[in-house]
């Protein structure tokens, strides 16, 4: 049985479908602080199966023990965490407590129940401002905000756990920019309040919830001056977790892998791709650069292909079409 912490969230809910398709039995554990059970209800419709769900907090040893006592957990996919960069600057202790302390409690209980396989959601944010692109896994690591530091610290903690006990099997997945939604249009990204990330902001502008997109800077050294990122379809990303689980038992060291497409698109390229896919106009205004942003960030995805036999399959038009289907069918997300 696979434990999916944070499984009611954006990436977790899509991963539940991929796990089911690959024949894995799983249980979702989530405190619903940034999600609702509605996502899982919709996943149940897609997979035509009831999902095992336990509501609880990864920081609570009792909650975690309940999961491991109720089910025989063989491996963990650890999505649970807070992810808003701006909020992490305002409330660093909240992020260190939730993400780091939560992971420590999870690892402690995993040890207690002799469960030693874990796939962790890291982020391309651990590369800081990369000296060049595309980014390879052995590039220097750094970070500029508490959220990023939680990812970097947890990576280090997991490496120490492996050093102390080589029976641990650990995969660190560094996601680039997840976008898109399941093709049914029934599950997707449902940010609280004003979105920080580009794709949900574009989608909400197209659907009429936002007046215009602020393009943060047009004087970067990129194709058109706007920031370039590696957008990856969430369904491809979900599959990366399944491939990781299929390989994890054979690992003899901590596996660290980029999950990206290898293609970089600028903000203005994203706007025009979304307009094409949705048939809607996306109004935008050029605004000052956002603090902490970098010019360009995209993956060298070759290692994922080599070690996980994984590569992204979905192109930008599919990412935009699927985001639009989710957004237009659910203008207010899961509360629509
Ligand atoms: P999300 O907020 O949609 O999902 C995270 C889930 O974890 C939510 O359902 C939330 O309720 C749950 N959660 C948070 N703290 C918890 C706690 N203490 N106990 C139990 N459950 C808790 O986010 P997502 O986009 O699906 O991201 C999943 C993971 O991937 C996160 O760790 C995030 O940092 C990481 N990540 C996300 C992105 C991205 O752009 N979405 C990029 C890189 C890495
Ligand atoms: C953000 C996070 C990063 C996280 C990543 C993936 C910040 C500072 N960084 O990075 O930690 O790992 O998401 O989840 O939040 N943009 C606009 N207008 C907007 C929103 C974004 O022009 O309203 C631009 C940005 O300047 C950037 C690009 O769009 O060039 C993508 O932005 P975003 O979706 O926030 O992702 P990242 O900046 O990669």
């Amino acid at each position: 049985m696979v434990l999916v912490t944070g499984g009611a969230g954006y990436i977790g809910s899509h991963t539940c479908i991929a796990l089911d398709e690959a024949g894995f039995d799983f249980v979702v554990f989530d405190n619903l602080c940034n999600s609702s059970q509605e996502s899982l209800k919709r996943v149940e419709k897609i997979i035509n199966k009831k999902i095992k769900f336990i509501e609880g907090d990864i920081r609570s040893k009792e909650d975690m023990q309940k999961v491991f006592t109720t089910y025989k957990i063989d491996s963990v996919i650890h999505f649970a965490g807070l992810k808003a960069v701006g909020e992490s600057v305002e409330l660093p202790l909240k992020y260190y407590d939730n993400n780091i302390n939560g992971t420590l409690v999870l690892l402690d209980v995993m040890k207690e129940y002799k469960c030693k396989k874990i796939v962790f959601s890291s982020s391309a944010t651990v590369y800081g401002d990369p000296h060049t692109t595309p980014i390879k896994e052995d590039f220097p690591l750094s970070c500029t905000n508490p959220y990023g530091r939680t990812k970097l610290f947890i990576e280090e903690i997991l490496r120490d756990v492996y050093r102390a006990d080589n029976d641990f099997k650990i995969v660190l997945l560094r996601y680039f920019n997840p976008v898109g939604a399941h093709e049914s249009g029934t599950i997707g990204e449902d940010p609280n309040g004003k979105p920080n990330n580009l794709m949900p902001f574009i989608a909400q502008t197209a659907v009429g919830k936002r007046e215009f997109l602020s393009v943060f800077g047009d004087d970067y050294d990129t194709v058109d001056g706007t920031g370039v990122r590696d957008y990856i379809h969430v369904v491809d990303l979900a599959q990366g977790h399944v491939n990781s689980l299929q390989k994890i038992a054979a690992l003899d060291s901590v596996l660290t892998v980029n999950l990206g497409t290898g293609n970089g698109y600028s903000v203005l390229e994203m706007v025009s791709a979304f307009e094409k896919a949705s048939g809607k106009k996306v109004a935008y205004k050029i605004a000052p650069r956002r603090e902490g942003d970098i010019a360009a960030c995209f993956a060298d995805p070759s290692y994922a292909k080599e070690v996980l036999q994984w590569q992204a399959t979905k192109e930008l038009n599919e990412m935009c079409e699927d985001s639009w289907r989710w957004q237009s069918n659910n203008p207010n997300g899961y509360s629509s």
Side-chain angles (χ1 to χ4, degrees), residues 190 204 207 209 325-336:
D190 184 16
Q204 290 194 5
V207 87
K209 279 185 79 178
R325 192 174 304 110
W326 156 250
Q327 180 67 62
S328 52
N329 289 348
N330 307 269
N332 296 311
Y334 288 112
S335 49
S336 293

Side-chain angles (χ1 to χ4, degrees), residues 90-328:
E90 305 292 318
L91 301 169
L93 298 182
K94 179 176 172 184
Y95 276 67
Y96 290 129
D97 177 43
N98 194 81
N99 295 4
I100 297 186
N101 196 17
T103 303
L104 293 178
V105 174
L106 167 67
L107 288 167
D108 201 30
V109 176
M110 283 175 68
K111 269 199 88 140
E112 188 183 330
Y113 287 82
K114 301 192 171 43
C115 169
K116 295 189 176 182
K117 299 193 200 98
I118 181 166
V119 178
F120 172 63
S121 302
S122 189
S123 165
T125 194
V126 300
Y127 295 114
D129 192 352
H131 58 284
T132 183
T133 43
I135 300 171
K136 284 180 171 296
E137 286 82 354
D138 62 359
F139 274 26
L141 305 179
S142 72
C143 39
T144 52
N145 57 71
Y147 165 72
R149 264 185 285 280
T150 67
K151 293 295 172 193
L152 200 47
F153 289 165
I154 294 168
E155 285 200 2
E156 293 298 344
I157 289 167
L158 287 166
R159 285 193 196 95
D160 284 339
V161 164
Y162 175 75
R163 279 183 205 111
D165 179 352
N166 285 186
D167 289 342
F168 263 89
K169 310 282 182 189
I170 298 173
V171 183
L172 309 175
L173 296 178
R174 294 181 179 152
Y175 311 155
F176 281 67
N177 291 59
V179 296
H182 186 261
E183 60 175 4
S184 64
T186 59
I187 61 167
E189 189 173 9
D190 184 16
N192 265 332
K194 194 171 160 188
N196 298 309
N197 295 115
L198 180 66
M199 189 60 130
F201 207 104
I202 289 181
Q204 290 194 5
T205 309
V207 87
K209 279 185 79 178
R210 310 271 159 205
E211 204 186 329
F212 62 88
L213 166 77
S214 294
V215 175
F216 297 144
D218 66 347
D219 56 353
Y220 286 107
D221 184 16
T222 60
V223 57
D224 56 19
T226 65
V228 165
R229 297 290 184 274
D230 185 337
Y231 298 93
I232 171 163
H233 199 296
V234 66
V235 169
D236 278 333
L237 195 69
Q239 185 60 39
H241 297 76
V242 168
N243 288 34
S244 299
L245 282 187
Q246 287 164 339
K247 304 280 173 194
I248 200 165
L251 293 184
D252 56 7
S253 61
V254 174
L255 185 65
T256 307
V257 187
N258 287 338
L259 293 185
T261 66
N263 302 313
Y265 291 102
S266 76
V267 176
L268 295 182
E269 286 171 336
M270 293 300 286
V271 167
S272 83
F274 201 91
E275 286 181 334
K276 203 166 154 207
S278 65
K280 299 280 176 189
K281 197 84 200 128
V282 176
Y284 70 85
K285 290 184 186 167
I286 304 298
R289 290 181 177 193
R290 180 172 66 181
E291 207 188 311
D293 269 358
I294 55 176
C297 173
F298 55 95
D300 178 336
S302 52
Y303 191 54
K305 190 169 178 190
E306 183 190 324
V307 292
L308 296 178
Q309 283 75 55
W310 173 92
Q311 70 187 111
T313 60
K314 293 176 183 286
E315 304 280 346
L316 185 58
N317 63 331
E318 218 173 327
M319 302 183 207
C320 293
E321 279 164 14
D322 290 341
S323 286
W324 175 243
R325 192 174 304 110
W326 156 250
Q327 180 67 62
S328 52

